[in-house]
Amino acid sequence: MYALADCNNFFVSCERVFRPDLNGKPVIVLSNNDGCTVARSNEAKALGIKMGVPLFKIRHLVEKHGVIVFSGNMALYGDMSRRVRLTLQEFAPSLEVYSIDEVFLDLHGMQIEDLSSYAREISRICLRNTGIPVSIGISPTKTLAKIASKLCKQYPKLQGGCYMHRPEDIEKVLRKFPVEDVWGIGRKTTPKLYQRGIRTAFDFVKIDEERVRRLMGITGVRTHRELRGIPSIKFEDSVVTKQSICVSSSFSKEITDCKELCSQVANFAAKAAEKLRGQGSVAFEMMVFAMTNRFRENMPQAYKSILVPFVEPTGEQRTIVAAAVAAIRELFDARMAYKKAGVVITRLEQRNQITGSLFEDSEAAERESRISYLIDSINQQYGHGSIRIGVQGDGSIHKLSEHRSPHYTTLWSDIPTASL
Amino acid sequence: MIPYEIEDNLSTENWMVGDVKAGFPSPAEDIHEKLDLIKLLVRNPASTFFFRIDGVSMVDAAMDEGDIIIVDRSIEPYNGCLAVCFIDGGYTVKRVEIHGKELHLLPANESNRSYKPIIVTPDNQFMVWGLVTYVIKKV
């Protein structure tokens, strides 16, 4: 059996833990830079606020209904997610962290008599420990566990826990479950299925496996089997090393100065390089991009990117930052006002799997490696950005977060106050 | 591959080891025991939070202005517990007592009688947020 723990409206729930007065009120959380809606309370959903919609398009709703708006507070959400994971560890020997608000639990080998009440108990303890409401779905496969967890959100009577295992129950649920909401069925496949009259998960299960293979390939077959109760998607309990690392952000106001843009991009590159070394990888390539504000239709528009190949695969701070700055200088156009930029480091390889090259100046490489190591040690001990390369400026990224809540759980200066 | 070398070269510990090489090996070398305040004060890291104290209604319960309290959400509230309560939009710390069907929030300040118990009614927006386990104060 597998369980999926899915945090309900996670970012909104994190804000409500420290603002219980917002329970029952419409609340939304905005993305990086106060751009788009990335989380909505049920009340906000009921007002018709859609996922991903920019704030300026829903201003009227926000004002009319007194919707409470938060800027994303990633320090808080990351810490609350860690607390939920810590709590879940008590309930299963291995976890797969699927995303910031979803964790799979592998229940194999556990002797649990009543899985329904186990599911409710996990949900109850998560709520008690962290204040976050979590939906627990338990089923024979990961895909079915995901569906079971969705049922908890639809039916409050389940008290946050749903154990779905009897074939007749599964069939009943799949008959009503929209095929596009099944885990693994993408936006591209949905129209293909609709054309063939396949609208529910049950319609999908009823088609022949060979037909699924022709239509959707092996991933489709896996989903098909999972829905039939045959575990076919691997449980990934180890940390998966990322195949690309992206650091980007929109700016609080447009940047027209080349030097300022360089310093911002240098900070993105520095952060990406740190992450890269953190997972023990080196990269063969980096993509650097910058773009104007597409919502300002009266201004000249540009989206430009440059692909930088590295002669030798690298993870070094100075090499990566220098390459990013050189690229941004090349694509900078003084007539443009840049709203967003970023770096994407790609084609990663584990450092210890790289064999030295003939052309490499090993002494210089070793020196760079020592410098990176020292930068990482100092920044780990004294805080991110304590030591920087000159071009990074003061190390700050110009982000807009007008409505950000305090870092309640990660900064001493921000802990909540109790008035006596 | 390289990092460890740097550490070896720069760490003062190794200079010391060099100096005493010929001496008697330390019998405590393999003992990695140390006192960890967090381990003492935080029993359940998933459910432990920190709050700052503002006000003097709880001085007799050792809570003074500016102190930091450690709050554990995993402990079930009981009659007479010291708790961080959320009431009508704000946090307070009080002793929670059950009197029949009523919940009373009691201050702890004998020298100032103006602090009266709060009786929680259904009209209040109320919850016990977590239980106070430790008070950190600077003396």
Side-chain angles (χ1 to χ4, degrees), chain A residues 62 74 85 152 156 190 217 245 265 282 349 358-359 409:
Chain A
V62 168
M74 283 305 153
R85 289 198 306 270
C152 302
T190 310
I245 292 170
V265 170
V282 289
E349 203 79 55
L358 272 175
F359 310 106
T409 60

Side-chain angles (χ1 to χ4, degrees), chain A residues 276 281-286 308-316 319-320 323 345-349 351 354-362 364-366 368, chain B residues 1:
Chain A
L276 180 70
S281 304
V282 289
F284 285 83
E285 264 174 24
M286 172 171 62
V308 188
F310 295 115
V311 185
E312 299 291 336
T314 185
E316 307 315 340
T319 316
I320 289 173
I345 300 182
T346 53
R347 289 189 53 210
L348 312 187
E349 203 79 55
R351 160 165 279 208
I354 298 289
T355 43
S357 122
L358 272 175
F359 310 106
E360 196 183 32
D361 173 352
S362 64
E366 196 171 312
E368 284 308 321
Chain B
M1 43 182 187

Side-chain angles (χ1 to χ4, degrees), chain A residues 141-144 182-185 204-205 209 212-213 216-236:
Chain A
T141 70
K142 284 165 75 178
T143 306
L144 288 172
V182 172
W183 185 40
I185 293 189
F204 181 68
V205 168
E209 188 175 300
V212 175
R213 189 188 304 276
M216 301 166 63
I218 183 69
T219 45
V221 172
R222 274 193 208 120
T223 304
H224 194 252
R225 286 188 189 160
E226 285 251 322
L227 287 173
R228 278 150 48 211
I230 308 159
S232 310
I233 296 174
K234 228 179 106 198
F235 191 82
E236 315 257 12

Side-chain angles (χ1 to χ4, degrees), chain A residues 10-52:
Chain A
F10 181 57
F11 296 168
V12 166
S13 296
C14 290
E15 299 290 350
R16 280 177 168 171
V17 170
F18 296 93
R19 291 285 309 276
D21 54 306
L22 300 182
N23 286 325
K25 294 186 178 153
V27 180
I28 60 170
V29 176
L30 302 175
S31 63
N32 224 336
N33 224 45
D34 291 356
C36 306
T37 310
V38 290
R40 306 156 296 156
S41 71
N42 292 346
E43 299 78 7
K45 288 176 189 170
L47 291 175
I49 297 175
K50 296 269 178 284
M51 200 69 168

Side-chain angles (χ1 to χ4, degrees), chain A residues 17-18 83 416 418-420, chain B residues 48 52 54 73-74 91-92 129:
Chain A
V17 170
F18 296 93
R83 289 166 183 273
S419 308
L420 308 189
Chain B
T48 301
R52 200 178 298 277
D54 176 33
R73 292 178 58 101
S74 71
Y91 291 105
T92 189
W129 200 90

Side-chain angles (χ1 to χ4, degrees), chain A residues 17-18 20-21 80 83 86-87 124 127-131 366 369-370 373 409 412 415-420, chain B residues 2-3 5-6 45-54 57-58 73-74 76 86 91-93 125 127 129:
Chain A
V17 170
F18 296 93
D21 54 306
M80 295 308 286
R83 289 166 183 273
L86 272 175
T87 303
R124 188 182 75 83
L127 181 66
R128 187 196 69 185
N129 280 4
T130 66
E366 196 171 312
S369 175
R370 283 178 184 231
Y373 173 73
T409 60
W412 286 115
I415 62 173
T417 298
S419 308
L420 308 189
Chain B
I2 289 98
E5 271 180 49
I6 296 172
S47 60
T48 301
F49 297 84
F50 299 89
F51 280 68
R52 200 178 298 277
I53 295 293
D54 176 33
S57 74
M58 297 299 284
R73 292 178 58 101
S74 71
E76 303 285 349
F86 189 83
Y91 291 105
T92 189
V93 178
Q125 189 195 16
M127 70 184 286
W129 200 90

Side-chain angles (χ1 to χ4, degrees), chain B residues 11-31:
Chain B
S11 132
T12 47
E13 247 171 77
N14 280 301
W15 290 102
M16 297 295 289
V17 170
D19 285 342
V20 296
K21 226 173 210 164
F24 188 73
S26 164
E29 222 161 56
D30 295 332
I31 298 171

